[in-house]
Amino acid sequence: MRGESVVVVGAGQAGCQVAVSLREQGHRGPITLIGDEQAAPYQRPPLTKAYLAGETDLAGLVLRQDSYYEDHGIKLVRGERVIGVDRSARVAVLGCARTVSYDHLVFATGARPRPLPIPGAEHVLNLRTVADADAIRQKLDGQIGLDVVVIGGGFIGLEFAAVVRKLRHEVTVVETQPRVMQRAVSADTALHLTNRHRSEGVQVLTGTGVAAVKEGFVELTDGTVLVADLVVAGIGVIPNAEVAQRSGLAVDNGIVVDAHLRTIDQRVHAVGDCARFASTLTGGLTRLESVQNATDQGSCVASAILGSAEPYTALPWFWSDQYDVKLQIAGLTDGHDRAVTVGDPAEGKFSVFCFRGDKLVGIEACNRPIDFLMGRRILEAGNALTPEIVARPGFDLRASQQQKAA
């Protein structure tokens, strides 16, 4: 297996990690990493932060220098899209009609922005790729006081809003749900982020949507009309699974894989944003969008290709930087039915412990990195931490764990 050829479709964080992990784990066969962007594989999270703010350039985002791929015998194909996979012949078909043979193929095709089904959507920019970020930077460059409307109050929308506000533009965030980050965080964390944005002068509108976009204006579903020099959407993504589906693989909100990240074809895997995997954590099919998930799955699949298949069991974790708020999340808090807040949100330092029944399923830490780190260990170990324990006056996570260890 160490001499077999591997083709990785998609050169983002997950795809790059597959190639890197294969070499680190001793794979000696050919590796071809195919990306549809001209840029070398790069980090996406800084696009909404340091890159957009002009604090770093593309060179500061690349995952590996060009010399790394050359030195490690990884063939990096840029600016090419895989349009088909013939699984019986074991070849990937590129848009230029060239084919690449494989013994193992890994889909790491990521996701694309969900389109806005409204009139005037052509006036709306997305923020997913470096090209998207460059287009937005060009609109903002040298300007002050532009009216910017952000459609969507999720991670991308709020991070973008924070940076643009610091660049001294007027910002309005429009979110259809009753609160921002409705499915991602607890009510207390959502309220804190909303208040933090409002304290910076951002207008946050919830429970309303966008009906239409016209040049210079945004019409909301409640009849409000907003002046808009720039409109950017962050309403979620769609997994890029069409090529996999055409090749006869199962697709359901992503490429369906088992706990080992294998498709129904034992020689084809899927990782990262495009993969909907059998999660040992949730007990069902799950698709995650995070750097941690991409890198951990990439490493897991490399091991599987080399004959050391183990189920993917990594605990999910996420982070977001908005102004002086560093939000770190361990576990999956979606669907929790009880939340206990420790600390004082008014002081900007608190943690929310999320439970499903009496089971701790996740921790959201705002400017409390110790809670995040210790919370990850607790969740990974499956230690018992009930809502009643956390709700006790003066509860301190570090002290409670020290007492338990003693």
Side-chain angles (χ1 to χ4, degrees):
M1 290 185 180
R2 292 184 181 274
E4 293 181 322
S5 61
V6 180
V7 170
V8 183
V9 185
Q13 194 99 36
C16 182
Q17 188 64 51
V18 172
V20 169
S21 293
L22 281 169
R23 286 294 186 241
E24 288 179 343
Q25 296 178 33
H27 183 68
R28 297 186 295 273
I31 300 174
T32 304
L33 180 60
I34 306 170
D36 59 5
E37 295 184 61
Q38 288 294 341
Y42 60 88
Q43 307 171 67
R44 294 192 191 278
L47 294 179
T48 57
K49 298 181 274 287
Y51 187 81
L52 189 64
E55 297 168 357
T56 189
D57 57 12
L58 182 57
L61 302 188
V62 295
L63 294 167
R64 302 280 171 164
Q65 298 300 317
D66 287 346
S67 59
Y68 176 89
Y69 303 101
E70 298 170 4
D71 295 344
H72 291 80
I74 299 171
K75 185 175 182 180
L76 176 59
V77 180
R78 306 189 197 189
E80 279 289 355
R81 188 180 297 273
V82 172
I83 61 173
V85 171
D86 185 334
R87 292 193 291 116
S88 60
R90 290 185 195 161
V91 296
V93 182
L94 305 186
C96 62
R98 185 163 65 90
T99 59
V100 183
S101 300
Y102 67 85
D103 292 305
H104 299 274
L105 182 138
V106 182
F107 280 105
T109 44
R112 62 187 183 276
R114 187 177 298 279
L116 273 169
I118 59 170
E122 66 274 13
H123 299 299
V124 181
L125 299 182
N126 292 299
L127 183 46
R128 178 74 180 178
T129 67
V130 70
D132 294 336
D134 286 341
I136 293 171
R137 282 176 62 171
Q138 187 175 10
K139 294 278 189 180
L140 298 174
D141 190 35
Q143 304 291 322
I144 294 176
L146 295 180
D147 288 298
V148 179
V149 174
V150 182
I151 305 174
F155 280 104
I156 298 298
L158 293 183
E159 289 174 357
F160 171 74
V163 171
V164 173
R165 184 62 186 140
K166 287 198 290 187
L167 293 174
R168 299 169 63 188
H169 298 289
E170 302 300 321
V171 183
T172 300
V173 174
V174 181
E175 170 56 57
T176 58
Q177 297 297 318
R179 65 173 190 255
V180 300
M181 300 180 74
Q182 175 85 22
R183 292 179 295 275
V185 301
S186 65
D188 278 359
T189 299
L191 178 61
H192 178 69
L193 292 173
T194 298
N195 291 339
R196 188 68 188 86
H197 277 273
R198 286 174 173 162
S199 73
E200 293 288 340
V202 175
Q203 183 178 204
V204 180
L205 305 178
T206 57
T208 186
V210 175
V213 178
K214 300 179 180 178
E215 191 167 355
F217 297 94
V218 170
E219 297 178 2
L220 304 186
T221 53
D222 63 5
T224 303
V225 176
L226 303 173
V227 176
D229 299 303
L230 172 65
V231 185
V232 174
I235 59 169
V237 296
I238 298 173
N240 294 321
E242 289 78 7
V243 174
Q245 187 169 38
R246 290 198 298 270
S247 72
L249 298 175
V251 170
D252 180 11
N253 184 30
I255 303 168
V256 177
V257 291
D258 62 17
H260 297 273
L261 307 177
R262 296 174 301 200
T263 67
I264 55 175
D265 184 332
Q266 299 298 292
R267 289 184 174 268
V268 179
H269 292 75
V271 294
D273 293 4
C274 71
R276 191 158 185 238
F277 62 99
S279 171
T280 57
L281 188 65
T282 66
L285 290 176
T286 302
R287 190 175 66 81
L288 299 175
E289 301 161 14
S290 74
V291 170
Q292 167 272 323
N293 182 67
T295 55
D296 284 350
Q297 287 193 345
S299 180
C300 180
V301 160
S303 297
I305 290 173
L306 293 173
S308 300
E310 294 288 343
Y312 178 69
T313 59
L315 178 77
W317 53 270
F318 315 83
W319 80 90
S320 180
D321 295 312
Q322 300 172 37
Y323 309 109
D324 56 354
V325 177
K326 187 170 189 64
L327 169 64
Q328 296 170 291
I329 304 172
L332 296 175
T333 61
D334 185 31
H336 69 271
D337 51 31
R338 185 171 178 183
V340 181
T341 299
V342 176
D344 187 359
E347 294 181 357
K349 294 182 179 181
F350 66 98
S351 295
V352 181
F353 293 74
C354 299
F355 297 86
R356 192 175 297 118
D358 286 332
K359 181 182 179 182
L360 180 69
V361 294
I363 296 175
E364 303 164 358
C366 283
N367 295 329
R368 286 175 63 135
I370 296 299
D371 281 5
F372 169 71
L373 293 172
M374 297 193 70
R376 280 178 58 184
R377 294 174 192 166
I378 291 170
L379 289 164
E380 287 169 344
N383 289 350
L385 194 63
T386 66
E388 289 71 27
I389 291 174
V390 178
R392 289 173 183 168
F395 171 80
D396 180 89
L397 183 57
R398 182 178 351 200
S400 73
Q401 295 306 297
Q402 289 173 340
Q403 290 173 2
K404 185 172 183 178

